[in-house]
Amino acid sequence: MTFTMSIGFQFYKRRFRQYGPLIIVMFIFFMGIFYLSASPDLQHPSFRKHLALNNAINKDILKLERKVKLLESTLKKHNIPESEYMEGLLPVIYVITPTHARPQQKAELTRLKNVFLHVPALHWILVEDSEQKTGLVKHFLESGGISFTHLNVPTPKDWKLGENQPVWQKPRGVLQRNAGLDWLRSNFEPPASRAVVYFADDDNTYSTELFQEMRWTKKVSVWPVALVGGVMVERPKVTLSGKVNGWLTGWKPDRAFATDMAGFGINLDLLVNNPEAEFSLDSQKGFMESDFLEKIVKLHELEPKADMCTKVYIWHTRTEKPNMKDEEKLRKEGRPTNRNIEV
Ligand code: UDP
Ligand code: MN
């Protein structure tokens, strides 16, 4: 009996001597892993940080998912299409356009509208240079498709160009642009920063990319304008670090901001916070834009758009005056061709 017990004991003693250290090492190893994973205090600090962040984000995502579901059900309940809601998230582009009556007016406005219709969240402030709002512009705007404000203010007689006077002799559209600014200032209080203001004359050619470029303007965005100032293109000079430090222009390079009316977009807040910034009839010839911009921004603050001002998205086109020789004759005879038809 004692003999068999002693043989059994000897057997385990030998096995223990053989495998014992291995078992102990493995036991310590697994205990170590268990301890480390159970006790975050002992984990590597950067991993702990990562875990904490991950948990926080997961919680946020859950909260967001709940909010999105709530939003979806609200949109459904009120019958609002998702595209319309998305449009509501975009900063609005307020386009101020002075316009005056002449044979090609409706053609010019139609060209503009056809572009604006492709631009989401755009509000058109069309300002007639007239004593009264005209039926033509009223019908045109009310024909639908575009969000608009219709204003009018006449340019005083002394400031109107004579029939055959060259265009550079008097500034055009000044009081109309200011009327657009007044309308914005009386409708918005700061902070209204999720919006941009652009001055678009009615005869230029605008590409849709231009509006994508200007939408997120923080202060004042700038870009090249083609076919203006006697050159192919007038544009801001941009440094390698993306700062505007001057202008590439043929005409009057001494202007602080040597750009055309079509060459910049302004954050609405900047205009609301600077109520004295208006266009002036008294600006020296060709200095209207520069004088205006000097009141609200510094050169180094300008935001160059259109691929650092290397792309053209706006052309300062001018429309040829249509030949009305026979029309005038017929009008004198009391038989105008446009008696019962809006042209
Ligand atoms: N304009 C105006 N009243 C006028 C002449 C022009 O309101 O008596 C408007 C015109 O419709 C345009 C802007 O002012 O939207 C600039 O005029 P124009 O295109 O003739 O100027 P330019 O091309 O020479 O800069
Ligand atoms: Mn023009």
Side-chain angles (χ1 to χ4, degrees), residues 28-255:
I28 291 170
F29 178 72
F30 284 117
M31 281 306 285
I33 287 190
F34 176 72
Y35 187 61
L36 278 177
S37 63
S39 150
D41 287 354
L42 292 179
Q43 285 157 6
H44 193 274
S46 73
F47 184 64
R48 253 189 295 148
K49 212 166 131 192
H50 171 83
L51 261 189
L53 190 66
N54 198 280
N55 285 340
I57 289 173
N58 281 343
K59 267 187 210 152
D60 280 353
I61 288 175
L62 279 178
K63 270 192 230 158
L64 273 177
E65 275 175 356
R66 248 176 271 142
K67 277 190 185 154
V68 168
K69 278 200 185 112
L70 192 71
L71 182 67
E72 274 171 359
S73 71
T74 314
L75 293 183
K76 219 172 183 177
K77 202 164 107 194
H78 297 285
N79 230 342
I80 303 167
E82 206 178 300
S83 57
E84 222 164 83
Y85 178 79
M86 292 308 284
E87 198 171 310
L89 295 177
L90 291 174
V92 177
I93 298 174
Y94 291 96
V95 178
I96 299 177
T97 300
T99 187
H100 69 296
R102 69 253 198 228
Q104 72 273 28
Q105 182 181 28
K106 196 172 175 184
E108 308 279 31
L109 295 178
T110 302
R111 283 193 318 131
L112 256 61
K113 180 172 158 181
N114 288 351
V115 175
F116 295 167
L117 282 172
H118 290 287
V119 183
L122 183 149
H123 184 83
W124 197 6
I125 304 169
L126 195 52
V127 194
E128 288 195 74
D129 182 351
S130 61
E131 292 282 352
Q132 244 116 53
K133 293 186 181 75
T134 64
L136 183 134
V137 174
K138 195 164 173 283
H139 301 153
F140 167 78
L141 286 171
E142 285 170 0
S143 70
I146 204 137
S147 157
F148 69 88
T149 294
H150 185 184
L151 305 173
N152 70 292
V153 55
T155 301
K157 262 214 173 77
D158 293 352
W159 286 99
K160 272 292 224 195
L161 274 175
E163 186 57 24
N164 292 316
Q165 234 178 342
V167 286
W168 50 264
Q169 285 202 350
K170 288 194 180 138
R172 298 156 301 286
V174 179
L175 301 189
Q176 292 70 32
R177 293 187 194 97
N178 286 344
L181 288 175
D182 290 346
W183 182 86
L184 284 168
R185 287 178 177 131
S186 60
N187 280 284
F188 295 97
E189 280 174 15
S193 61
R194 286 175 46 76
V196 59
V197 180
Y198 181 56
F199 300 102
D201 288 353
D202 62 2
D203 56 344
N204 295 337
T205 305
Y206 305 90
S207 93
T208 51
E209 286 102 322
L210 179 69
F211 300 94
Q212 293 168 14
E213 294 288 325
M214 73 173 74
R215 194 181 293 280
W216 300 93
T217 297
K218 293 190 198 86
K219 282 192 164 184
V220 177
S221 291
V222 287
W223 48 78
V225 179
L227 317 182
V228 74
V231 289
M232 282 299 283
V233 58
E234 223 176 43
R235 59 184 159 132
K237 271 198 262 184
V238 184
T239 64
L240 283 177
S241 61
K243 291 271 173 215
V244 175
N245 68 348
W247 307 89
L248 289 165
T249 175
W251 187 73
K252 301 227 181 199
D254 54 324
R255 286 174 288 165

Side-chain angles (χ1 to χ4, degrees), residues 260-317:
D260 181 77
M261 200 59 76
F264 56 91
I266 308 168
N267 184 294
L268 179 58
D269 255 355
L270 202 58
L271 293 172
V272 175
N273 288 326
N274 290 284
E276 75 293 348
E278 295 242 290
F279 292 101
S280 168
L281 284 166
D282 298 323
S283 276
Q284 196 190 324
K285 265 177 219 136
F287 278 73
M288 188 161 53
E289 292 88 342
S290 194
D291 289 352
F292 177 78
L293 288 170
E294 272 191 79
K295 291 177 200 156
I296 55 171
V297 74
K298 303 255 177 301
L299 192 71
H300 71 268
E301 294 176 314
L302 296 177
E303 298 146 53
K305 301 287 176 182
D307 249 339
M308 291 293 155
C309 300
T310 61
K311 298 258 172 13
V312 170
Y313 294 139
I314 148 86
W315 296 260
H316 179 259
T317 44

